[in-house]
Amino acid sequence: MRSRDLSYLDEVHNCPHCNQKMSCCEAPPVHVGDGLGWGSEVLFICLNDHCSLFLNGWETVELKYGHHASYRYMELPDSKEGNVMMVGNSDAFKASVIDPQELKRQNARYKLEKKAVEDLETCVARKDLGPVLQLILDEGADITGRKKAAGLLLELNDLECIDPIRNHTFRDTSLEMACNQMLELLLKKNFKKECPTCGNLVKMQAKKCMHCKEEL
């Protein structure tokens, strides 16, 4: 995914045939008319099943083309120029309706990922654990950046990373193993170990946990 201009999500398009608000939908990969594409990744389409264009279109298409199909009214973003799309049933395009809030959330997440990847270059010198944890704990981030971040844990030498990583559920087992290996090295470097009962850090040579009093 890349950061995109999502200003079209704030546009409001109304169908001139039924005056209902049109839905923002993902554009089909190929323009059925000329095969050159729509010139936009989204289309505003009237999905009102009671729209006069849609209701009357069945008979129009049957008489003109001999097909069982109808029309949906469509407009491109940043345009009020109307167009129609032929559809074979009432469900066409309904599964491609975009959730504006989810798309904005994904775009914001990507921007944070991009910034964190850039900050990896200087985070060790700045002793900044933030971008490293940001990438490691972001399941939507590219695995290359996440593994690079994991490789910096030992250099950063910050024990504050242990709890967030231990409590995270990884989908990629290879990344989880890489993080666990780094945490073990980090603990040894600081002469620490984790209490198997309460999970708190204690001295390597401790015989009893100072937190839960369990024998180690």
Side-chain angles (χ1 to χ4, degrees), residues 49 54 58 68-70 72 86-94:
D49 290 342
F54 180 70
W58 298 104
H68 180 71
S70 186
R72 292 286 194 189
M86 188 178 292
V87 293
N89 56 67
S90 60
D91 292 328
F93 290 104
K94 290 183 178 179

Side-chain angles (χ1 to χ4, degrees), residues 186-204:
L186 184 61
L187 288 168
K188 289 181 180 179
K189 183 176 181 178
N190 289 274
F191 305 101
K192 298 286 186 179
K193 62 183 175 182
E194 294 169 286
C195 172
T197 302
C198 70
N200 281 297
L201 299 185
V202 296
K203 293 180 179 179
M204 187 70 73

Side-chain angles (χ1 to χ4, degrees), residues 48-89:
N48 177 20
D49 290 342
H50 300 288
C51 176
S52 59
L53 176 69
F54 180 70
L55 291 176
N56 298 328
W58 298 104
E59 182 178 359
T60 301
V61 174
E62 178 70 30
L63 293 174
K64 191 172 183 179
Y65 300 106
H67 298 312
H68 180 71
S70 186
Y71 295 114
R72 292 286 194 189
Y73 180 76
M74 181 272 289
E75 290 178 355
L76 290 170
D78 196 29
S79 172
K80 294 299 182 181
E81 181 180 350
N83 206 334
V84 295
M85 302 183 68
M86 188 178 292
V87 293
N89 56 67

Side-chain angles (χ1 to χ4, degrees), residues 22-45:
M22 298 163 67
S23 301
C24 185
C25 305
E26 294 180 9
V30 177
H31 190 305
V32 295
D34 54 24
L36 299 179
W38 294 98
S40 172
E41 61 183 7
V42 302
L43 304 173
F44 286 90
I45 304 174

Side-chain angles (χ1 to χ4, degrees), residues 5-204:
D5 176 14
L6 301 181
S7 58
Y8 60 78
L9 292 177
D10 297 320
E11 294 183 22
V12 177
H13 293 247
N14 292 316
C15 175
H17 300 277
C18 63
N19 203 35
Q20 294 294 305
K21 183 179 178 181
M22 298 163 67
S23 301
C24 185
C25 305
E26 294 180 9
V30 177
H31 190 305
V32 295
D34 54 24
L36 299 179
W38 294 98
S40 172
E41 61 183 7
V42 302
L43 304 173
F44 286 90
I45 304 174
C46 176
L47 297 179
N48 177 20
D49 290 342
H50 300 288
C51 176
S52 59
L53 176 69
F54 180 70
L55 291 176
N56 298 328
W58 298 104
E59 182 178 359
T60 301
V61 174
E62 178 70 30
L63 293 174
K64 191 172 183 179
Y65 300 106
H67 298 312
H68 180 71
S70 186
Y71 295 114
R72 292 286 194 189
Y73 180 76
M74 181 272 289
E75 290 178 355
L76 290 170
D78 196 29
S79 172
K80 294 299 182 181
E81 181 180 350
N83 206 334
V84 295
M85 302 183 68
M86 188 178 292
V87 293
N89 56 67
S90 60
D91 292 328
F93 290 104
K94 290 183 178 179
S96 63
V97 174
I98 291 173
D99 181 346
Q101 296 308 315
E102 175 61 18
L103 199 58
K104 288 178 180 179
R105 186 194 67 79
Q106 292 177 10
N107 208 45
R109 186 214 62 78
Y110 173 79
K111 289 179 178 179
L112 290 175
E113 176 190 352
K114 183 179 178 181
K115 179 66 165 58
V117 170
E118 293 173 352
D119 288 346
L120 288 183
E121 302 302 322
T122 59
C123 69
V124 174
R126 293 183 288 105
K127 301 185 183 303
D128 183 8
L129 179 64
V132 168
L133 279 183
Q134 168 72 31
L135 289 169
I136 290 175
L137 304 180
D138 183 359
E139 290 298 319
D142 182 78
I143 191 62
T144 302
R146 299 178 75 194
K147 287 187 174 181
K148 182 178 180 180
L152 297 175
L153 288 172
L154 193 59
E155 290 183 70
L156 280 166
N157 194 29
D158 190 338
L159 296 175
E160 292 298 318
C161 71
I162 294 178
D163 279 350
I165 293 175
R166 290 291 196 218
N167 292 323
H168 183 70
T169 301
F170 289 88
R171 292 202 295 260
D172 190 298
T173 55
S174 65
L175 176 61
E176 183 176 17
M177 290 177 60
C179 287
N180 286 336
Q181 290 172 355
M182 283 296 173
L183 293 187
E184 293 302 321
L185 293 173
L186 184 61
L187 288 168
K188 289 181 180 179
K189 183 176 181 178
N190 289 274
F191 305 101
K192 298 286 186 179
K193 62 183 175 182
E194 294 169 286
C195 172
T197 302
C198 70
N200 281 297
L201 299 185
V202 296
K203 293 180 179 179
M204 187 70 73

